């Protein structure tokens, strides 16, 4: 297939693009800066705020993968920052949909991002499935509007697949890159009680998920993308320490400190849910990690 990727120069995209090419696909990548083409990888300039995009980016494209979005965990959630987080997810989709309509093209599939934050920051024994209700906090609100914008692609795409991802774990980026240096020193990376669940997905599985969806035309709709096991933050912290042969030298960071440092963002760090991946596994996909 010929695939157009928005948000493809980040942590996930740097692993996904070569994987797709290795599996026989051709990839167009939207970028805000000039980059040199590679074999079966073509870069095209775009600017969402200025509503500019190179028309050739859509030539022959069968699939669109959207991974745009400002990091929700970085910076304090001021009014301006909240608007930036929301707009960085909704505006690119709106722009891409209108650009596809103007080009007169249709695509086979849109694969768009969302997050397990859709269900809200809560710690409970309930295992959330795709049928559960939207949460009421800010991340849940962002996820709902993000998904609503993606669903508008039903007008131009045969399939719309939305991935509610857990935290993406990989050695060369993401949350692992931030926590590993602490664990190497024997410092606990668990927050508060540590009993909150820590839904995650290993990056190797995630990029396999994208390729699997491209190659299976029957896959359509919303899916939780998380590892099979529901582990707590205490368990994750201990496994991370074990991987470096370290003993836990410090207690968990107290919740009150997290609340002082992160304010409204604290609940996102101190709460976490059990998430089911059964719906996606029922398509025949097997998570390796």
């Amino acid at each position: 297939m010929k695939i157009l990727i928005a948000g493809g120069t980040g942590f996930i995209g740097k692993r996904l693009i070569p994987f797709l090419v290795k599996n026989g696909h051709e990839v167009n990548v939207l970028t805000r800066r000039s980059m040199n083409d590679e074999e079966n990888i073509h870069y095209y300039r775009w600017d969402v705020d200025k509503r500019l995009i190179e028309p050739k980016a859509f030539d022959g494209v069968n699939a669109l993968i959207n991974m745009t979005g400002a990091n929700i965990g970085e910076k304090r959630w001021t009014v301006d920052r909240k608007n930036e987080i929301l707009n960085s997810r909704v505006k690119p989709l709106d722009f891409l949909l209108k650009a596809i309509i103007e080009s007169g093209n249709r695509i086979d599939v849109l694969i768009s991002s969302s997050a397990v934050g859709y269900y809200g920051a809560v710690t409970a024994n309930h295992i959330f499935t795709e049928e559960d209700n939207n949460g009421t906090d800010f991340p849940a609100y962002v996820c709902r509007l993000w998904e609503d914008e993606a669903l508008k692609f039903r007008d131009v795409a045969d399939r719309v697949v939305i991935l509610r991802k857990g935290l993406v774990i990989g050695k060369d980026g993401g949350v692992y890159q931030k926590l590993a240096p602490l664990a190497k020193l024997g410092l606990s990376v668990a927050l508060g009680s540590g009993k909150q669940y820590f839904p995650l997905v290993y990056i190797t599985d995630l990029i396999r998920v994208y390729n699997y969806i491209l190659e299976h035309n029957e896959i359509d709709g919303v899916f939780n993308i998380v590892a099979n096991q529901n582990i707590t933050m205490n368990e994750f912290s201990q496994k991370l320490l074990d991987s470096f042969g370290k003993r836990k030298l410090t207690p968990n960071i107290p919740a009150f400190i997290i609340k002082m440092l992160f304010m409204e963002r604290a609940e996102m760090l101190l709460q976490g849910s059990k998430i089911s991946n059964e719906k996606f596994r029922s398509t025949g996909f097997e998570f390796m990690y």
Side-chain angles (χ1 to χ4, degrees), residues 22-211:
K22 183 180 178 181
N23 280 272
H25 302 293
E26 186 176 352
V27 179
N28 291 355
V29 183
L30 295 174
T31 175
R32 286 175 293 181
R33 62 183 189 275
S34 296
M35 298 180 68
N36 295 324
D37 288 352
E38 305 168 47
E39 186 175 358
N40 290 323
I41 305 174
H42 311 282
Y43 295 93
Y44 294 93
R45 297 287 298 276
W46 77 324
D47 188 316
V48 175
D49 292 331
K50 296 180 180 178
R51 312 294 282 185
L52 297 174
I53 192 168
E54 291 187 60
K56 288 186 178 181
F58 295 103
D59 287 354
V61 165
N62 310 106
L64 171 61
I65 295 176
N66 175 59
M67 298 187 292
T68 56
N71 190 322
I72 199 167
E74 290 183 355
K75 302 181 183 179
R76 191 163 68 89
W77 286 350
T78 62
V79 172
D80 287 345
R81 179 59 178 172
K82 283 184 172 182
N83 286 333
E84 182 182 0
I85 288 168
L86 179 59
N87 290 335
S88 68
R89 288 159 171 76
V90 172
K91 280 188 173 182
L93 281 167
D94 173 70
F95 179 40
L96 286 166
L97 175 60
K98 289 173 180 172
I100 291 173
I101 292 172
E102 289 174 6
S103 73
N105 295 329
R106 282 189 62 85
I107 56 175
D108 295 334
V109 59
L110 165 72
I111 308 176
S112 194
S113 297
S114 184
V116 295
Y118 177 92
Y119 305 108
V122 59
T123 302
N125 286 324
H126 177 72
I127 301 175
F128 285 89
T129 74
E130 292 82 354
E131 301 303 315
D132 277 295
N133 292 331
N134 186 213
T136 58
D137 55 22
F138 173 66
Y141 170 74
V142 169
C143 287
R144 178 169 60 80
L145 295 188
W146 200 3
E147 293 186 14
D148 287 348
E149 201 66 32
L151 290 172
K152 295 177 183 178
F153 277 75
R154 292 285 184 197
D155 292 337
V156 297
D158 296 333
R159 297 185 288 143
V160 173
V161 182
I162 296 172
L163 306 182
R164 292 178 184 161
K165 304 172 191 171
L167 288 163
V168 183
I169 300 296
K171 285 189 174 181
D172 51 352
V175 68
Y176 180 90
Q177 195 174 60
K178 294 179 180 179
L179 298 182
L182 300 175
K184 284 181 181 179
L185 298 174
L187 304 178
S188 171
V189 300
L191 308 177
S193 71
K195 294 179 181 179
Q196 68 271 42
Y197 289 93
F198 198 66
L200 55 84
V201 59
Y202 191 62
I203 193 166
T204 300
D205 277 336
L206 179 58
I207 62 176
R208 290 177 55 241
V209 164
Y210 278 104
N211 192 65

Side-chain angles (χ1 to χ4, degrees), residues 192 253-263 266 270:
I253 302 173
F256 78 89
I257 292 179
I258 299 302
K259 290 177 180 179
M260 284 194 301
L261 290 173
F262 293 95
M263 301 178 72
L270 296 171

